[in-house]
Amino acid sequence: MLFKSTRNSSLRIESKDAILQGISEDGGLFVPQEMPTLGDINDYLKTDYRGRAKLILSKFLTDFTDEELDVCINSAYSAEKFGSDDIAPVKTLSNELSILELWHGPTCAFKDMALQILPHFLTASLKKHSDKRALILVATSGDTGKAALEGFKDVDNTKILVFYPSDGVSNMQKLQMITQEGENVAVCGIKGNFDDAQTGVKAIFTGADMKKAVDEGGYTFSSANSINWGRLVPQIVYYVSAYCDLVNAGKIDKNMSMNVCVPTGNFGNILAAFYAEKMGLPIGKLICASNVNNVLTDFITTGVYDRNREFHTTISPSMDILISSNLERLIYALSDYDDAYVRELYTQLAKTGRFEVSEKIKERLRIHFEALYADDKETMNTIKLTYDRYGYVPDTHTAVAISAYNRYFLKTHDLTHTVLASTASPFKFPASVLEALGVNSEQDDFAQLKQLSEISKMPIPAQIDELKDKDVRFTAVCDPSEMNKTVLSCL
Ligand SMILES: *Cc1c(COP(=O)(O)O)cnc(C)c1O
């Protein structure tokens, strides 16, 4: 299997190089030359998460040896890292709704599902070019940064630098990053929002001067953001796995469809579900849930993508995004892989901040997707409602998706079983969750964790509790214009 770019369909590179480069030189994103099919679903039904991962990854990463893939999968998806062998457990709340918990990894957010394995992909890819070390640049809206730091810490031949919006992440998220351990890690705040950080990182990647400087330092840039194919492909696995778990549990009949509902930001997670559907997984509707930064709700319902709008800081910070990078991959697929068309749209987007897709694509968007959004108030109400109804405490991001699902259900009465991606542990956002539950919360973050544990009857994740004893290592904050300098200082 070779990979091409969304802006150059005739490009062909191997998956190791796609993973190493992160983004194509033409500014496009790497996608497989063609979508493989899942094959016999029975093969997936009878194996575990690691087995399912092996079946799927081996279809895309054909330049990896069997042994390399085994090392990647077994190092990433272990009981030690995820608390049990149930790497992505499914909790059924009703006949119509199950929650796919994607936050049992080391940083308590779904980013671990991909970022625990990406460093192993990258190490295998680096071996192909034995002289190279990788400098990983990350722009984070909160969870990617920590998950990438944790995934890459002390990985040979890599350095990692994370930029986060200094006022745009939760206390816990910030604490997780600035206390990060490891010899090869650095963290820097940005005076700006996530989009500023992401735009800065993209500019550094594609800028010739920076590339040269980094090259001379013996490094090659790579990205751990969800534009990297190595981030996307592991995400396909958990949708297939959830389907299998539900079939095995008798909640879905084999070959019946399920819907998928995803709290969405950069469009990586839900795109993986779309790819799973392309591979043959029976999926009905893909329900795209946003917070008030609802650029995707508008896009899916009208076909107009317009990021010229106010940016809002919300209680679901990892979804505070107006530039959803992975949308480019969706448009490429829905335009029947028309690279010239994608180039045209994205040139327009760069110039005007807006584009409108063709009628054909609008129609296809309507067939595959449903899009809804929830504001902070509705999200808070949903946390309370979900707790009262099911005794289940979702985090703020998951609650955005539950709000969207509830409204979808009221609108359509669609009884298709829906798998809803739960993207973070509620313990990452204790203040908001306690407030939603009507609890007078303590001032101190760690006292809040105790309160939340008592109410939810869930243990505090050890990796969050132990932050209180860690030293702060990274206090730097820079202007977006100074990002280049920060990168060079890491070499
Ligand atoms: C990153 C993140 C999202 C958004 O996922 P995308 O793949 O960017 O759409 C949602 N919830 C949480 C908790 C996240 O960390």
Side-chain angles (χ1 to χ4, degrees), residues 40-57 69-70 73-74 76-79 82 84-90 113 234 236-246 248:
D40 188 354
I41 194 76
N42 291 307
D43 296 342
Y44 298 82
L45 287 169
K46 63 185 184 220
T47 182
D48 62 1
Y49 195 87
R50 288 184 286 272
R52 291 165 187 165
K54 180 75 184 285
L55 287 167
I56 292 170
L57 296 179
L69 276 184
D70 286 338
I73 290 166
N74 295 330
Y77 302 127
S78 64
F82 282 80
S84 84
D85 279 318
D86 207 356
I87 305 299
V90 179
M113 300 304 299
I236 298 172
V237 177
Y238 48 72
Y239 291 111
V240 176
S241 183
Y243 183 81
C244 291
D245 286 351
L246 286 166
N248 283 338

Side-chain angles (χ1 to χ4, degrees), residues 415-473:
L415 294 173
T416 309
H417 200 86
T418 297
V419 167
L420 188 142
S422 175
T423 48
S425 156
F427 289 97
K428 280 193 101 160
F429 308 92
S432 301
V433 174
L434 285 169
E435 190 189 333
L437 295 174
V439 177
N440 241 331
S441 66
E442 301 276 351
Q443 278 293 314
D444 176 71
D445 291 320
F446 295 94
Q448 290 170 2
L449 295 177
K450 277 215 187 82
Q451 288 182 294
L452 187 55
S453 175
E454 277 158 25
I455 293 172
S456 65
K457 305 196 172 56
M458 292 195 286
I460 305 173
Q463 58 272 47
I464 291 198
D465 207 27
E466 64 202 19
L467 289 175
K468 63 175 181 286
D469 305 316
K470 293 212 164 148
D471 294 330
V472 171
R473 295 184 63 202

Side-chain angles (χ1 to χ4, degrees), residues 19 57 121 141 172 174 193-194 197 247 297 312 319 323 333 336 391-392 401 428 449 470:
I19 288 168
L57 296 179
F121 288 162
S141 59
M172 272 308 160
K174 186 166 182 168
N193 59 36
F194 169 69
V247 170
T297 321
H312 300 280
M319 298 159 67
I323 308 173
D336 298 321
Y392 189 85
K428 280 193 101 160
L449 295 177
K470 293 212 164 148

Side-chain angles (χ1 to χ4, degrees), residues 315 374-390 392-396 398-404 406-407 432-438:
I315 56 169
D375 62 17
D376 280 356
K377 184 155 176 279
E378 186 178 344
T379 305
M380 296 287 255
N381 289 341
T382 300
I383 292 174
K384 178 84 168 86
L385 187 81
T386 308
Y387 178 66
D388 290 345
R389 205 184 272 174
Y390 306 111
Y392 189 85
V393 180
D395 93 292
T396 47
T398 307
V400 168
I402 299 176
S403 305
N406 288 344
R407 255 189 301 122
S432 301
V433 174
L434 285 169
E435 190 189 333
L437 295 174

Side-chain angles (χ1 to χ4, degrees), residues 109-111 141 143-144 226 235 262-270 318-319 321 395 397 423-424 429:
F110 95 98
K111 303 295 196 292
S141 59
D143 293 323
T144 298
S226 63
Q235 299 188 332
V262 185
T264 303
N266 227 345
F267 210 76
N269 201 358
I270 195 166
S318 302
M319 298 159 67
I321 292 176
D395 93 292
H397 303 76
T423 48
F429 308 92

